[in-house]
Amino acid sequence: MKKTILLTVLVLNGLTSFAQSNDEKNIKLFYKKALTESKCYTWLEYLSNDIGSRLSGSKNAEAAVQYTKSQLERLGLDKVYLQEVMVPHWVRGEKETAYILNNKIKTVVPICALGGSVATAKTGLTAEVIEVQGIDELKTLGDKVKGKIVFFNRPMNPENIETFTSYSACVDQRFAGAKEAAKFGAVGTIVRSMNLRLDDFPHAGAQSYGDLPKEQYIPTAAISTNGAELLSGTLKSNPALKFYFKQSCETLPDALSYNVIGELTGTEHPENIMVVGGHLDSWDLADGSQDDGAGVVQSMEVIRILKDLNYKPKNTIRVVLFMNEENGGKGGAKYEEVSKTNNENHIFALESDSGGFTPRGFSIEADDANVKKIQGFKDLFEPYLVHSFTIGHAGSDISHLTSKAIVKAGLKPDSQRYFDYHHAANDKFDAVSKRELELGAATMTTLMYLIDQTGIELPKAN
């Protein structure tokens, strides 16, 4: 009886193995390789702890360029090279200070200058405050804000399960708030940090004065969510209170930097290029481990896994570590410019720039045929708990790519904790889970492999 049971089990196991497709076997290898032999966590540790923050134009950004180039060279890829790009060079200067002045009582609150902001006077800026929920409300006030600090206090909406939806709905006040407030004579702006929880971390980020003349530029800073709640509550009891802040940031001349590129040449269609990448720069308050050190090392891990498994891609697979996504997008723009000059044909681009959390799926930018094609891979991803294949923004750096027929996708990790760290001083190495990081890399490798094997759906000729 025991022999019969054992024979039955062996036969069933054999049948299961025989029925398993080559794709399923290869995908299992990708995940095994990522979870047992990965280098991405080690790479991230060095980027975060040995190099640190990597704002464009900084010495740390240059160190990151050289480090990642050297690591790609060690993988034995067909090509590894640097692509020159001129980037903005903004520096924060001395740590910012701020306090609420309420009936001669000073209450210190945490702030940080927003990227690209001008400094206050050396003695700082003191003025009355007017609170608004966004740019639309600001415009209804007009000249009432003249001579005052505008306080943008629209919070991220906690009701949205997709937290990037909440971010998109209020980030305009950070990016364009100073420009719009300056038009009405405001002397400065304070913006509630883009963060779903209440804490004491101000969150940095880019802002732009647009086409305003330089003499109209006003200083702008982010305030922590706890600070924003305190300021708003105090304003209700004393609308005449004043706010003081001091920052010494400045914009230096553009600096020379680089995109870091490595590739495996295609064996059947080398002229067709598939990109996987993240951005090498980060804000200067912390290590940028989630944003976007995680995406950088995951992209490197994709090409490492394929190379280690001796995979011969049909199309050219290129890892691109973009410079200057955070405060200018120059790396992505330069990559596309060079691509056009060289008449390159990109058929697919995958970006990781949403943190190193547990992968849930992909956000897809493509026509209906290619969306359906990728959604058709769901069964292959299901054993790895990857299930979300939705239409949406794929990524800032790959958004520049304009090849005639191109499919774009962005890795979608679980986003619930992302904005706890986004652009803040707690975005450090210990905020990243090794296993979650590796799962993301394996998930990205799987999609790259499937697209390489099956190609993309080309537009039908009229």
Side-chain angles (χ1 to χ4, degrees):
M1 182 67 176
K2 289 183 178 179
K3 289 183 179 180
T4 303
I5 294 172
L6 179 60
L7 180 61
T8 303
V9 170
L10 288 172
V11 170
L12 287 173
N13 283 344
L15 286 172
T16 301
S17 177
F18 179 78
Q20 192 176 47
S21 71
N22 283 333
D23 286 342
E24 289 172 312
K25 291 177 183 177
N26 286 332
I27 293 167
K28 189 174 182 179
L29 278 175
F30 299 153
Y31 278 88
K32 179 180 179 181
K33 196 81 171 172
L35 293 172
T36 63
E37 302 175 26
S38 74
K39 292 188 176 180
C40 57
Y41 195 65
T42 301
W43 286 330
L44 183 62
E45 182 177 20
Y46 190 91
L47 274 179
S48 299
N49 296 337
D50 288 69
I51 295 177
S53 63
R54 304 171 298 278
L55 193 57
S56 294
S58 68
K59 291 182 179 179
N60 283 4
E62 173 61 21
V65 166
Q66 298 304 324
Y67 173 69
T68 51
K69 177 176 180 285
S70 71
Q71 295 306 302
L72 290 176
E73 288 172 337
R74 290 186 181 186
L75 300 182
L77 306 180
D78 296 321
K79 292 181 183 177
V80 177
Y81 56 98
L82 301 181
Q83 185 178 79
E84 291 187 357
V85 55
M86 297 301 294
V87 298
H89 188 190
W90 178 85
V91 294
R92 184 172 301 280
E94 296 178 2
K95 183 175 174 59
E96 303 88 346
T97 56
Y99 54 79
I100 300 167
L101 184 57
N102 181 25
N103 296 323
K104 297 184 180 181
I105 299 173
K106 296 179 181 179
T107 305
V108 175
V109 289
I111 69 161
C112 68
L114 291 174
S117 177
V118 294
T120 60
K122 290 183 179 181
T123 55
L125 169 64
T126 304
E128 290 187 354
V129 179
I130 188 163
E131 179 179 347
V132 297
Q133 291 298 300
I135 291 173
D136 288 343
E137 183 180 356
L138 166 73
K139 291 178 178 179
T140 67
L141 298 176
D143 290 342
K144 291 180 181 178
V145 306
K146 189 173 182 179
K148 295 184 178 181
I149 294 171
V150 175
F151 169 38
F152 290 97
N153 193 32
R154 184 164 81 256
M156 290 177 63
N157 186 350
E159 296 179 17
N160 295 314
I161 302 302
E162 176 48 76
T163 61
F164 281 89
T165 301
S166 301
Y167 177 73
S168 298
C170 61
V171 74
D172 63 324
Q173 62 189 349
R174 187 197 76 199
F175 186 76
K179 177 188 72 173
E180 297 302 328
K183 293 177 182 178
F184 298 105
V187 293
T189 60
I190 296 295
V191 185
R192 184 189 184 99
S193 286
M194 303 293 109
N195 183 5
L196 279 160
R197 71 179 183 181
L198 294 176
D199 62 27
D200 293 317
F201 294 106
H203 291 233
Q207 70 86 37
S208 172
Y209 296 111
D211 56 1
L212 279 181
K214 287 187 176 181
E215 57 270 20
Q216 289 187 30
Y217 289 6
I218 58 175
T220 179
I223 186 172
S224 72
T225 47
N226 274 338
E229 291 290 294
L230 178 62
L231 178 56
S232 181
T234 311
L235 271 170
K236 287 179 174 62
S237 60
N238 180 15
L241 68 75
K242 292 186 177 181
F243 190 85
Y244 167 89
F245 72 109
K246 179 184 176 183
Q247 55 192 42
S248 55
C249 45
E250 63 177 319
T251 299
L252 303 175
D254 285 359
L256 175 64
S257 193
Y258 305 90
N259 294 326
V260 183
I261 303 172
E263 65 180 52
L264 293 173
T265 306
T267 56
E268 295 182 18
H269 301 288
E271 73 283 1
N272 291 339
I273 299 170
M274 299 173 58
V275 163
V276 58
H279 66 85
L280 196 50
D281 62 306
S282 72
W283 283 106
D284 57 325
L285 297 179
D287 310 329
S289 298
Q290 295 284 8
D291 185 19
D292 184 31
V296 164
V297 299
Q298 285 175 329
S299 300
M300 295 168 66
E301 185 74 4
V302 169
I303 209 162
R304 185 199 71 83
I305 290 171
L306 296 175
K307 175 65 177 176
D308 278 8
L309 290 173
N310 200 30
Y311 177 70
K312 305 296 183 185
K314 296 180 179 182
N315 308 284
T316 294
I317 294 180
R318 184 181 286 173
V319 57
V320 183
L321 312 180
F322 298 95
M323 183 57 70
N324 186 234
E325 186 273 345
E326 291 292 7
N327 61 335
K330 299 296 184 181
K334 172 56 72 171
Y335 181 83
E336 167 64 1
E337 178 189 322
V338 173
S339 172
K340 280 188 171 181
T341 299
N342 294 337
N343 294 314
E344 292 180 336
N345 180 43
H346 288 79
I347 62 169
F348 182 66
L350 172 61
E351 184 168 332
S352 174
D353 187 17
S354 299
F357 301 100
T358 302
R360 300 298 188 201
F362 298 95
S363 181
I364 309 162
E365 285 184 48
D367 58 15
D368 290 345
N370 282 294
V371 170
K372 289 179 181 177
K373 181 184 184 72
I374 294 176
Q375 290 175 337
F377 299 146
K378 276 186 178 182
D379 288 347
L380 294 169
F381 282 98
E382 189 172 332
Y384 307 97
L385 306 182
V386 174
H387 60 273
S388 178
F389 297 79
T390 59
I391 298 171
H393 178 64
S396 298
D397 284 310
I398 63 175
S399 68
H400 296 276
L401 290 171
T402 57
S403 292
K404 186 175 182 180
I406 183 171
V407 174
K408 302 175 185 179
L411 179 68
K412 280 186 64 177
D414 187 293
S415 70
Q416 305 313 312
R417 291 173 290 149
Y418 182 64
F419 290 99
D420 294 351
Y421 306 102
H422 184 248
H423 299 176
N426 59 342
D427 185 4
K428 297 181 177 181
F429 180 67
D430 60 5
V432 179
S433 158
K434 179 177 183 290
R435 188 169 178 85
E436 289 179 316
L437 185 73
E438 293 164 349
L439 286 168
T443 301
M444 293 166 67
T445 306
T446 298
L447 185 58
M448 291 294 289
Y449 160 79
L450 291 171
I451 296 294
D452 183 58
Q453 285 291 302
T454 62
I456 64 171
E457 300 296 322
L458 296 175
K460 294 180 180 179
N462 293 326

